[in-house]
Amino acid sequence: MNIGRIKAIFVTGFKSYLIYIFIFAIVIFAIQVPREKENIEEFSNDNFGLEKTKQDRVALIESGENAVLVRLNLIENAQKSLDISYHSLIEGKSTEILLGSILDAADRGVGVRVLSDGVFHGFTGNLKEALYGLGSHPNIKMRLYEPLKLLLPWNWNNRLHDKIIIADEKLALIGGRNIGDKYFREDVMQDRFVKDRDVIIYKDESLEDPASVIEDMENYYNRIWNHRYTKPAIKKLTSKQKTKGEVFNDNLRHRYMEIKAEHLQDNTETDWYKKTMATESVKFVYNPIGRVNQDPWCLRQLLFLSSRAEESIFIQSPYIIPSRNMKAKFGQYDLDLEKITMLTNSVSSSPNPMGIAGYFNNKKDIIDNGVKLYEYQGPDSIHSKTYIFDDTISVIGSFNLDARSSYINSESMVVISSKEFTRNLKEEIQVELNNSLIVDKDYSYIENEDVEEGHVSTPKKIMIFFLSKLAWFLDYLL
């Protein structure tokens, strides 16, 4: 067989593979319609409200510095178990410190499970050796959700997007932050810093009925951990990988002890009862686990709460990209759009070109429907996913207002009924609103002498314009 013939066969095969990818990674998500289904145990129609929820105590974690200290506190003070789930870990000092604290917890006998996304988990480059080191520890188990398989393109899009830590089944942390310096180190990252928020949940065992939403979170974690789509991070280490892992662990222990001695001496056990506030109820909501489009449980919960709001609805999401399927779902609920205030990134503040391009396509409709729209002006960006209904109900978690969070990714959030917590949350959000501009009915900004419009370079404007054309066809994947 001559070289030309081999080349022709290769080209034909490659073209066939691209068509195969196009059909099963892109087209199938456009044509497949999810069937509504109920989780009888935890997601009955009655449970869409707040009638069957738990009265845990909660605290808002707002600043990046507090966010990393709280994570360290949970890990360092765990006695029996740590269940950790994150979409991605980004190499940097914050990640090194947190991995060091996990290794230290395992060394003292805590059983640790670490669950990450199979594509965006971050255990690459130098962190690959962290996978070898932590994965070889007898008290640490590591698994990946939907590892990338080149011949199964229908599993490329359904990603694990949860951000959860559960310690001893008594404390839990949930929010929108991934693990990386850009979420924790505002002084270092500056204009690349990403603003986000978390909620700490404390099981109040002093109550007559100490049933906790943390039990629901633990059940959900176990479902994903044991799911057939979740695989061991490493099946078997080679002798070379074991050696690299041992060296990594030794270096990490030494580095962590240095950092702890210098910066973390006072990170002792916290009286979380005093640090948290009482609630009327806390409810945990999550998306179904599956491939292709799934029944949008998180979206349905938010729409249900919106339909019951009497005075106001507040939505904060880094990307607001209502797809055609989402808009059809909106139509199934009695929504007063003029009650809605939205806060999202501006073109200048957003670090996600495709996400802001998808939003760009919907901005006019949002304004035309009477929504009050704020755009954050930076120089950093917002990544928080926050929803508030009247002055009573707050929702915080990993859910973005887009099709990917609605139908494709694993997502989770907590619905908190508490006027005190909502008041605290609104005060923090006001800080971001004070650095935002309102979009007027003609789609320009209403002038505010206290807020300077963020600069957008000409290349970024051009890129967003062209990406918006592509985003119009692919909004169901954004």
Side-chain angles (χ1 to χ4, degrees), residues 20-150:
Y20 174 67
I21 290 174
F22 178 71
I23 293 172
F24 290 102
I26 298 176
V27 175
I28 191 172
F29 285 86
I31 61 177
Q32 180 261 340
V33 178
R35 180 174 59 88
E36 286 196 3
K37 55 185 178 182
E38 303 294 354
N39 181 321
I40 300 301
E41 294 179 358
E42 297 185 19
F43 215 80
S44 67
N45 283 326
D46 287 341
N47 206 25
F48 262 117
L50 297 171
E51 297 87 353
K52 299 179 180 179
T53 49
K54 286 56 172 202
Q55 290 183 297
D56 295 280
R57 298 179 67 85
V58 298
L60 184 64
I61 309 300
E62 191 73 16
S63 74
E65 181 181 2
N66 284 341
V68 72
L69 289 176
V70 165
R71 283 163 172 79
L72 287 170
N73 189 288
L74 294 184
I75 296 168
E76 288 187 349
N77 293 295
Q79 301 297 315
K80 297 178 180 179
S81 65
L82 278 168
D83 288 332
I84 300 170
S85 177
Y86 275 94
H87 175 66
S88 65
L89 295 88
I90 304 167
E91 189 175 353
K93 188 173 182 180
S94 301
T95 302
E96 180 184 35
I97 293 171
L98 288 166
L99 291 179
S101 67
I102 289 171
L103 181 60
D104 183 64
D107 283 345
R108 65 175 189 270
V110 177
V112 181
R113 295 190 293 180
V114 179
L115 177 62
S116 299
D117 181 71
V119 175
F120 297 104
H121 52 79
F123 287 107
T124 56
N126 292 335
L127 284 180
K128 190 72 173 181
E129 295 181 4
L131 195 59
Y132 303 152
L134 299 182
S136 64
H137 196 289
N139 290 328
I140 300 178
K141 297 178 180 179
M142 306 184 74
R143 293 173 72 85
L144 301 177
Y145 179 79
E146 286 280 30
L148 180 65
K149 297 178 182 178
L150 294 179

Side-chain angles (χ1 to χ4, degrees), residues 39-269:
N39 181 321
I40 300 301
E41 294 179 358
E42 297 185 19
F43 215 80
S44 67
N45 283 326
D46 287 341
N47 206 25
F48 262 117
L50 297 171
E51 297 87 353
K52 299 179 180 179
T53 49
K54 286 56 172 202
Q55 290 183 297
D56 295 280
R57 298 179 67 85
V58 298
L60 184 64
I61 309 300
E62 191 73 16
S63 74
E65 181 181 2
N66 284 341
V68 72
L69 289 176
V70 165
R71 283 163 172 79
L72 287 170
N73 189 288
L74 294 184
I75 296 168
E76 288 187 349
N77 293 295
Q79 301 297 315
K80 297 178 180 179
S81 65
L82 278 168
D83 288 332
I84 300 170
S85 177
Y86 275 94
H87 175 66
S88 65
L89 295 88
I90 304 167
E91 189 175 353
K93 188 173 182 180
S94 301
T95 302
E96 180 184 35
I97 293 171
L98 288 166
L99 291 179
S101 67
I102 289 171
L103 181 60
D104 183 64
D107 283 345
R108 65 175 189 270
V110 177
V112 181
R113 295 190 293 180
V114 179
L115 177 62
S116 299
D117 181 71
V119 175
F120 297 104
H121 52 79
F123 287 107
T124 56
N126 292 335
L127 284 180
K128 190 72 173 181
E129 295 181 4
L131 195 59
Y132 303 152
L134 299 182
S136 64
H137 196 289
N139 290 328
I140 300 178
K141 297 178 180 179
M142 306 184 74
R143 293 173 72 85
L144 301 177
Y145 179 79
E146 286 280 30
L148 180 65
K149 297 178 182 178
L150 294 179
L151 295 180
L152 301 179
W154 50 85
N155 90 330
W156 294 2
N157 279 300
N158 296 94
R159 307 311 335 151
L160 178 131
H161 199 238
D162 306 299
K163 290 94 173 174
I164 295 172
I165 298 178
I166 305 172
D168 294 334
E169 300 184 10
K170 295 180 179 180
L171 281 163
L173 184 78
I174 183 171
R177 289 181 172 96
N178 293 301
I179 303 299
D181 286 346
K182 68 179 183 178
Y183 297 96
F184 302 123
R185 305 185 67 194
E186 185 171 6
D187 58 330
V188 174
M189 302 305 293
Q190 297 182 3
D191 61 342
R192 291 179 295 157
F193 182 70
V194 177
K195 298 170 68 70
D196 214 317
R197 61 178 53 93
D198 307 293
V199 177
I200 192 82
I201 303 169
Y202 173 71
K203 181 178 180 180
D204 187 357
E205 295 182 329
S206 68
L207 294 174
E208 183 177 340
D209 179 8
S212 171
V213 75
I214 297 175
E215 297 165 10
D216 300 331
M217 297 173 71
E218 186 71 26
N219 289 337
Y220 171 70
Y221 188 97
N222 288 333
R223 287 177 189 173
I224 297 188
W225 181 268
N226 295 315
H227 203 277
R228 65 183 183 275
Y229 299 155
T230 304
K231 307 296 180 183
I234 294 181
K235 293 182 179 179
K236 187 176 180 180
L237 290 171
T238 66
S239 58
K240 186 177 181 180
Q241 289 172 339
K242 287 181 180 178
T243 300
K244 286 183 176 180
E246 290 170 0
V247 172
F248 177 87
N249 283 353
D250 288 342
N251 290 337
L252 184 60
R253 288 186 183 98
H254 178 71
R255 183 83 181 105
Y256 176 66
M257 290 305 168
E258 284 185 341
I259 295 170
K260 186 175 180 180
E262 185 177 354
H263 300 290
L264 306 174
Q265 302 97 321
D266 298 327
N267 200 26
T268 55
E269 187 171 0

